[in-house]
Amino acid sequence: MALIVQKYGGTSVGTIDRIRNVAARVKRTRDEGNQVAAVVSAMSGITDKLIGMAKEFGENPSEREMDVLLATGEQQSIALVSLALHELGVPALSVTGRQAGITTTGSHTRGRIDAIDPQFMKRSLEAGNALVVAGFQGITPDGLIHTLGRGGSDLTAIAVAAAVGADVCQILTDVDGVYTCDPRIVPNARKLPEISYDEMLELASSGAKVMQSRSVEFAKKYGVVFEVRSSLNDNPGTMVLEEHPDMENVVIRGVSIERSQARVTITGIPDEPGMSAKILCALGDAEINIDMIISNIASDGMARHSFTMHSNDLGKAQAALKPVLAEISGESKIETEAGIAKLSCVGIGMRSHSGVAATMFKALGEAGINIGMISTSEIKIAVTVDETRIEDAARAVHDAFELDKAPA
Ligand code: ADP
Ligand code: ASP
Ligand code: MG
């Protein structure tokens, strides 16, 4: 008998019929002789709807209350999936984050899982129940509700799998695996049989929302091997696991895109120690996540720094930077540009193959797409382009690396 954790995302529980499909799948997995803990998300659209309702009362609602509100989406689903299991004669128990023993730290709406006490879940499984665990939620040591960031049910599933010592962890979603690019954008994208944690992490943190990036970090840290597959068919999915030597033969594993980015450039910064720290500390204190950073010295001997960030943070960044600039030099100016997007190519094979950037830039040039900023890591090359051209850019680069063809 195996212990299987299955995670069903918002689309997979999006209607009453879909909920019945989930229940049937859980029942089938149990009938095959396994114990099952299913982690479920809110029905698709519910979390966004709740956020919209909260914003009726002001643009910046209290994050404590947001957590209380958003956690209800998953609570609806666990009860409904349990009821659907009861309809099939399966003893099922809904389990909230608190009952699952999930303790969190960090801030409201961005809680981090600190520990899981799996005793209740283990006892209930041993007693013959199917468990239906609320994704996306946990509880602070003081008893406050935390949510785990958008897409956070993935993290719940991986963490529950680690805590209960699951034999198998399956992320069941509306695609049948991880593709070389989002198949909604690149129709000839190819399903990958496997991908390393590091590649999945880079893709997820650069916009491939098929997995929440923090859940992949957690899986790598605790060695949780998991499979991404469809909740609607039985096609084999994609295994996400520690890299092995054969994986380096593939130069680019996948391409991801991230929309709604903005650039801030600060000019006229004195070329002196401590200036960059002042600027970055101001942005950090304002809780703004900076992505790419480029810095250079202009012909007048003054430095200029450019950063990218989510376009929602642009106003906050301008407000945070104003006093700092006034303090460091009267010459400093801020320029901003919204409407940009980021394209990333990811592959551990990049470590041992050259010419990757050349192929990527040539493909973009031939498609008439201008490159803005560039950043690289050991296994990723990312560029910004005009947001209106991002899908063309993804297709051009996907074609240039022939990602639709299985490697020889
Ligand atoms: P769930 O509700 O199950 O958590 P999500 O909507 O969060 O599902 O993630 C699944 C979606 O991720 C797919 O429908 C697909 O459009 C998108 N996606 C983005 N990049 C990829 C990729 N490389 N491979 C597969 N799906 C991707
Ligand atoms: N319901 C949450 C969200 O929409 C968590 C999740 O679906 O994973 O982000
Ligand atoms: Mg998701």
Side-chain angles (χ1 to χ4, degrees):
M1 187 201 317
L3 169 48
I4 302 185
V5 170
Q6 299 182 326
K7 180 257 171 177
Y8 293 94
T11 320
S12 304
V13 293
T15 61
I16 294 299
D17 281 349
R18 290 272 170 95
I19 286 176
R20 286 207 167 97
N21 169 64
V22 167
R25 231 181 143 113
V26 170
K27 178 175 186 318
R28 196 178 77 196
T29 312
R30 279 169 53 92
D31 291 348
E32 288 161 0
N34 306 298
Q35 292 180 327
V36 182
V39 174
V40 301
S41 292
M43 296 170 80
S44 57
I46 290 289
T47 307
D48 286 334
K49 195 169 156 200
L50 293 170
I51 293 173
M53 284 162 76
K55 289 200 166 171
E56 290 288 328
F57 303 100
E59 258 314 293
N60 293 309
S62 145
E63 291 188 331
R64 181 188 185 282
E65 303 314 327
M66 287 309 280
D67 274 347
V68 173
L69 181 66
L70 297 192
T72 63
E74 270 65 16
Q75 282 183 213
Q76 289 180 5
S77 310
I78 56 172
L80 292 170
V81 172
S82 298
L83 293 172
L85 280 160
H86 297 168
E87 187 182 52
L88 299 178
V90 176
L93 286 182
S94 61
V95 181
T96 63
R98 176 199 280 268
Q99 291 161 350
I102 300 175
T103 320
T104 56
T105 55
S107 334
H108 279 297
T109 75
R110 295 177 290 281
R112 307 185 71 88
I113 294 182
D114 187 35
I116 299 189
D117 173 358
Q119 293 318 316
F120 173 75
M121 288 191 287
K122 282 191 165 164
R123 265 200 322 273
S124 307
L125 285 165
E126 282 306 316
N129 296 293
L131 301 189
V132 188
V133 182
F136 183 53
Q137 56 174 261
I139 202 120
T140 67
D142 302 334
L144 297 171
I145 296 175
H146 263 172
T147 58
L148 307 177
R150 296 306 303 266
S153 300
D154 293 336
L155 176 59
T156 307
I158 303 278
V160 164
V164 298
D167 301 293
V168 176
C169 177
Q170 300 174 329
I171 306 292
L172 295 145
T173 179
D174 59 0
V175 267
D176 57 4
V178 179
Y179 279 66
T180 47
C181 188
D182 187 342
R184 291 178 208 248
I185 291 157
V186 177
N188 65 348
R190 183 175 49 84
K191 184 169 59 178
L192 296 163
E194 61 178 12
I195 184 169
S196 70
Y197 291 128
D198 288 340
E199 290 167 324
M200 188 70 250
L201 184 55
E202 287 280 15
L203 286 173
S205 54
S206 0
K209 78 160 189 166
V210 61
M211 285 301 296
Q212 188 217 32
S213 60
R214 281 168 54 199
S215 71
V216 185
E217 251 174 278
F218 197 101
K220 179 178 156 101
K221 187 166 169 195
Y222 293 97
V224 179
V225 173
F226 63 95
E227 184 185 19
V228 178
R229 57 188 299 167
S230 170
S231 64
L232 299 168
N233 62 45
D234 288 325
N235 297 343
T238 302
M239 297 305 300
V240 186
L241 69 178
E242 195 56 70
E243 74 177 76
H244 56 77
D246 286 353
M247 284 182 168
E248 278 217 27
N249 298 335
V250 175
V251 184
I252 299 296
R253 187 85 51 202
V255 172
S256 60
I257 69 168
E258 199 164 11
R259 300 173 203 266
S260 304
Q261 301 295 295
R263 178 180 58 82
V264 172
T265 299
I266 306 170
T267 58
I269 307 168
D271 185 18
E272 291 164 13
M275 290 296 154
S276 309
K278 268 197 180 134
I279 293 168
L280 286 171
C281 284
L283 294 169
D285 290 346
E287 294 198 2
I288 295 165
N289 269 332
I290 298 299
D291 183 13
M292 295 176 169
I293 304 179
I294 290 183
S295 158
N296 52 30
I297 309 292
S299 52
D300 59 4
M302 295 295 227
R304 54 187 292 150
H305 290 336
S306 295
F307 320 101
T308 61
M309 60 191 67
H310 194 278
S311 53
N312 287 350
D313 285 337
L314 199 50
K316 211 159 71 163
Q318 280 172 300
L321 287 170
K322 249 193 184 148
V324 186
L325 296 200
E327 186 195 324
I328 61 180
S329 137
E331 316 253 316
S332 297
K333 285 205 184 71
I334 304 183
E335 293 163 12
T336 59
E337 183 191 1
I340 61 178
K342 187 172 78 167
L343 175 73
S344 307
C345 283
V346 172
I348 54 175
M350 251 185 238
R351 295 186 199 128
S352 48
H353 292 77
S354 54
V356 179
T359 306
M360 181 179 181
F361 297 173
K362 187 161 168 270
L364 293 170
E366 284 171 0
I369 297 168
N370 204 31
I371 298 174
M373 293 167 74
I374 302 169
S375 81
T376 61
S377 79
E378 201 190 16
I379 65 164
K380 179 174 83 175
I381 301 178
V383 299
T384 61
V385 302
D386 193 289
E387 192 162 6
T388 58
R389 299 300 312 276
I390 188 64
E391 296 199 2
D392 296 334
R395 288 189 278 263
V397 170
H398 194 272
D399 282 349
F401 288 107
E402 300 189 333
L403 297 184
D404 56 322
K405 300 194 178 71

